[in-house]
Structures are given as structure tokens and as C-alpha cells.
């Protein structure tokens, strides 16, 4: 009898919570009429974030004083990197140079994104 029983993998509390969340989401999808679409970059970021949490790696949000590259800002805003460079050069987005590279404080990138969202 023991040989016929399937081995159940032991899950951490976080893995159990994620499994329960996935089950609840699957159940709610059966009855939901609304859907949410996110950009691929956001879905990948969210998946990576959940994997980090499940594997016990430290996860934290960026601090307002942290610097972002122009590519990171472009990903946040959903625009091209050259467009971000143009925004900085025209003074529409606060940025500064570190050597020859442009950088934007996280707080400024988020404020710009919020401002753009309000204008739509």
C-alpha cells in the first residue's frame, strides 16, 4: 500500500499561499466578466517578484532617492528610451548625468508617470 501512495511535496507557507491564491483566481475567473491586461514587462516583473518571495529572497520597493536608468524609466512609462532622453533634454522630466549617462530619481519618474496619467 505504501508504494501506491503518491508523495505530496512539502510546500513552504508562501508556496501554500501562492497555490491558494492561484486557486482563488482560477475560481473567480469562472464567474468574472472583467479582465485586466498588463504589458509583458509587467507580467514578467510580477512573476519574478513572486518567485523571489517564494524562494525567500529579500524584496523591497525602490526608494525615492534611488536612480533609474533611462531604459528603466522607459519601461515604467511604456515608451522608448530615446523618448525618455528627449524628455530629459527638453526639461520635461527631471534628470541628471552620472558621467556620460543620464539618470532619473525614482520619485521623479513616478511623479511624471502620475502626471501623464492625470492628463489622459
Amino acid at each position: 500500500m505504501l508504494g501506491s501512495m503518491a508523495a505530496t511535496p512539502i510546500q513552504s507557507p508562501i508556496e501554500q499561499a501562492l497555490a491558494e491564491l492561484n486557486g482563488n483566481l482560477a475560481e473567480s475567473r469562472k464567474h468574472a466578466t472583467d479582465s485586466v491586461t498588463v504589458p509583458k514587462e509587467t507580467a514578467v516583473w510580477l512573476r519574478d517578484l513572486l518567485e523571489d518571495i517564494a524562494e525567500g529572497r529579500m524584496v523591497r520597493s525602490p526608494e525615492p532617492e534611488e536612480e533609474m536608468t533611462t531604459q528603466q524609466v522607459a519601461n515604467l512609462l511604456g515608451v522608448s528610451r530615446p523618448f525618455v532622453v528627449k524628455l530629459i533634454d527638453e526639461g520635461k522630466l527631471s534628470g541628471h548625468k552620472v558621467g556620460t549617462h543620464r539618470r532619473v530619481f525614482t520619485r521623479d519618474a513616478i511623479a511624471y508617470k502620475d502626471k501623464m496619467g492625470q492628463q489622459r
Side-chain angles (χ1 to χ4, degrees):
M1 272 296 182
L2 290 177
S4 65
M5 293 173 49
T8 304
I10 298 174
Q11 293 181 323
S12 73
I14 293 175
E15 290 170 323
Q16 290 172 358
L18 285 173
E20 186 176 334
L21 175 63
N22 283 333
N24 290 339
L25 288 172
E27 184 63 29
S28 69
R29 273 190 226 117
K30 292 179 186 176
H31 309 290
T33 56
D34 294 338
S35 64
V36 176
T37 303
V38 296
K40 180 181 177 182
E41 294 85 8
T42 302
V44 169
W45 174 83
L46 187 55
R47 182 204 61 209
D48 292 345
L49 176 68
L50 292 174
E51 284 178 358
D52 286 345
I53 291 170
E55 293 176 11
R57 290 191 287 270
M58 183 183 283
V59 177
R60 64 176 183 76
S61 60
E63 297 294 324
E65 295 299 319
E66 288 186 20
E67 296 177 340
M68 298 176 73
T69 66
T70 52
Q71 185 60 60
Q72 290 170 322
V73 175
N75 292 345
L76 175 72
L77 300 177
V79 298
S80 69
R81 189 195 61 77
F83 184 74
V84 171
V85 170
K86 181 180 174 187
L87 290 174
I88 294 169
D89 290 347
E90 292 177 351
K92 295 179 181 176
L93 174 62
S94 181
H96 58 280
K97 283 199 169 184
V98 176
T100 58
H101 302 281
R102 291 172 186 83
R103 296 289 185 263
V104 176
F105 287 116
T106 301
R107 67 172 181 270
D108 295 331
I110 292 171
Y112 185 85
K113 181 179 181 183
D114 290 345
K115 179 180 158 188
M116 292 299 98
Q118 292 172 359
Q119 292 181 358
R120 289 183 183 182

